[in-house]
Amino acid sequence: CLSHRLDWPGGVTLTKLLGNPYESEQDKVAFWTPINNSPQFWEELPIYYWVDELIGLLESKVGRGNLYLATAASHHPASYSGKRQWLMSNGLGRFEPIMIQNKALLSYPGTLLIDDWEKHEGFVKRGGHFCLFPQPWNSNHRWASDPVKYVAEYLEHLESKP
């Protein structure tokens, strides 16, 4: 993913950084086809330094059996196999990914979605909680240097609610 390889300016979305990268549907297809046809693209993404700490925190709060990984697939089946292989290669094979574009479908009262994409109003409308995971490209970018601490504080806030 491009965002993994850039020195990302805080709070700047990909669209703001690059403008609309697609002049036409053909441009969009030309951009995504090599990615979609290559499971290696997903398999070779570097793992973030905070992954183990985040998973440890979440498992301590909700238990290993209540933690799921939901990810949006690209428009090619190779993205599923590539993402699955990435999990296996990075010691996260216990997570069977749920491939879903509309994560609001997973929401019900008491569920929590932690995601770096900001637009999850539908998840909240269905009764779930949403924590915007800090990353350089979203509005929580100021906490991107210690995203697990941010999530821990969010969880404490949730636990303090009646």
Side-chain angles (χ1 to χ4, degrees), residues 38 57 75 84 132 141:
S38 173
L57 169 69
H75 298 288
R84 181 74 179 118
L132 179 62
H141 61 89

Side-chain angles (χ1 to χ4, degrees), residues 9-148:
V12 177
T13 65
L14 182 61
T15 304
K16 284 182 187 172
L17 186 66
L18 300 177
N20 182 356
Y22 316 123
E23 295 292 325
S24 67
E25 187 62 29
Q26 282 182 312
D27 290 344
K28 186 175 182 179
V29 170
F31 177 83
W32 281 104
T33 298
I35 293 170
N36 289 337
N37 288 337
S38 173
Q40 291 80 17
F41 175 84
W42 304 105
E43 292 172 22
E44 295 171 359
L45 288 176
I47 191 166
Y48 283 109
Y49 68 91
W50 42 255
V51 167
D52 290 335
E53 183 183 3
L54 177 64
I55 291 172
L57 169 69
L58 296 173
E59 288 181 344
S60 74
K61 296 290 186 182
V62 301
R64 181 177 265 192
N66 294 312
L67 188 59
Y68 299 91
L69 178 86
T71 183
S74 68
H75 298 288
H76 194 281
S79 71
Y80 176 83
S81 61
K83 289 181 177 193
R84 181 74 179 118
Q85 185 58 46
W86 183 91
L87 290 170
M88 300 295 287
S89 299
N90 287 288
L92 302 170
R94 67 186 178 275
F95 294 105
E96 182 66 36
I98 300 169
M99 293 289 185
I100 189 165
Q101 297 302 117
N102 182 359
K103 294 175 185 169
L105 298 174
L106 302 173
S107 179
Y108 58 90
T111 56
L112 170 64
L113 174 65
I114 301 171
D115 202 336
D116 64 351
W117 181 252
E118 299 199 34
K119 300 184 181 200
H120 289 292
E121 297 85 6
F123 196 90
V124 174
K125 284 181 185 175
R126 294 177 67 129
H129 301 280
F130 170 61
C131 175
L132 179 62
F133 189 81
Q135 287 289 23
W137 54 83
N138 66 36
S139 62
N140 274 352
H141 61 89
R142 63 185 78 65
W143 293 284
S145 64
D146 196 355
V148 178

